[in-house]
Amino acid sequence: GYLNMQVVSAVLTSTFSSSSATFVDSGLNVSITPSATSSKILVLVQTNGSSASGGGTYVNLVRGSTDILLGDAATGMIQCSGGSENAGSEYENIHFALTYLDSPSIPATPVAINYKTQVRSRNTNAFYVNRQQTESSGRAARIPSTITCIEIGA
C-alpha cells in the first residue's frame, strides 16, 4: 500500500495582474523535500483568473522550470493546464482546479522540489489573479489561491 508521508501547502491572498502574452510566475508556489527516492507527489491547485474583455487567462502547473501538466500541442492553440476566454463580463472570474500526480526524479539525497503556477494572457489584454477585472463594492470579490503537495510513498 501507499503512505502519505508529508503535506505542505501555501495560500496566496494577494492579487496579481499583468498583460504578458507569455507565462509569468503568479506568486503561488510551494516547496517539498521528498523523504524517499521512490516517492510521488500529488499536487492540488485551486486558483482563479479574470481578464479584460477580448482577453483570456491561462494557467500552467510548473515543477522547477518544467511545465508538467499540458494539453496536446496543436497549431494556433495555447498549450496550458487550464484556460478561459472572457465572454464580455468585467465581473467574470474563472476557477481553475488542477490535480496532478507527479513522479519526479529524486536523487539519493533528496532536495527540495518547487511547484508553482504561471499565468498569461491570450493577447496583451490585462488579466488578474485572485480578483475580477472591475472591482466595485458589492459586485466583486477577492478570492484566495492554494497549492498543496502530498508526498506519497510505497
Side-chain angles (χ1 to χ4, degrees):
Y2 285 91
L3 302 172
N4 171 359
M5 300 170 78
Q6 67 173 306
V7 179
V8 294
S9 187
V11 178
L12 179 69
T13 59
S14 60
T15 63
F16 174 80
S17 65
S18 176
S19 56
S20 177
T22 59
F23 283 101
V24 294
D25 290 353
S26 69
L28 181 62
N29 64 81
V30 71
S31 289
I32 186 169
T33 302
S35 54
T37 58
S38 60
S39 292
K40 296 182 184 301
I41 308 295
L42 180 61
V43 186
L44 310 169
V45 174
Q46 292 193 78
T47 190
N48 62 88
S50 176
S51 60
S53 184
T57 305
Y58 300 87
V59 61
N60 267 356
L61 180 59
V62 180
R63 179 200 334 108
S65 60
T66 303
D67 298 328
I68 58 171
L69 179 62
L70 295 175
D72 288 343
T75 303
M77 301 293 110
I78 296 171
Q79 212 175 355
C80 59
S81 305
S84 177
E85 287 290 309
N86 184 322
S89 170
E90 62 193 284
Y91 298 103
E92 175 183 75
N93 193 290
I94 302 300
H95 178 80
F96 300 103
L98 310 175
T99 302
Y100 184 70
L101 183 60
D102 192 25
S103 299
S105 176
I106 302 170
T109 302
V111 296
I113 301 172
N114 187 62
Y115 291 92
K116 64 184 177 181
T117 58
Q118 293 187 324
V119 288
R120 64 163 282 182
S121 175
R122 175 177 63 84
N123 43 35
T124 55
N125 287 1
F127 66 89
Y128 308 88
V129 174
N130 290 351
R131 58 161 282 196
Q132 281 105 331
Q133 173 196 351
T134 298
E135 293 193 302
S136 64
S137 180
R139 293 201 63 188
R142 292 287 179 97
I143 306 162
S145 295
T146 65
I147 184 168
T148 301
C149 290
I150 303 170
E151 180 185 4
I152 300 170

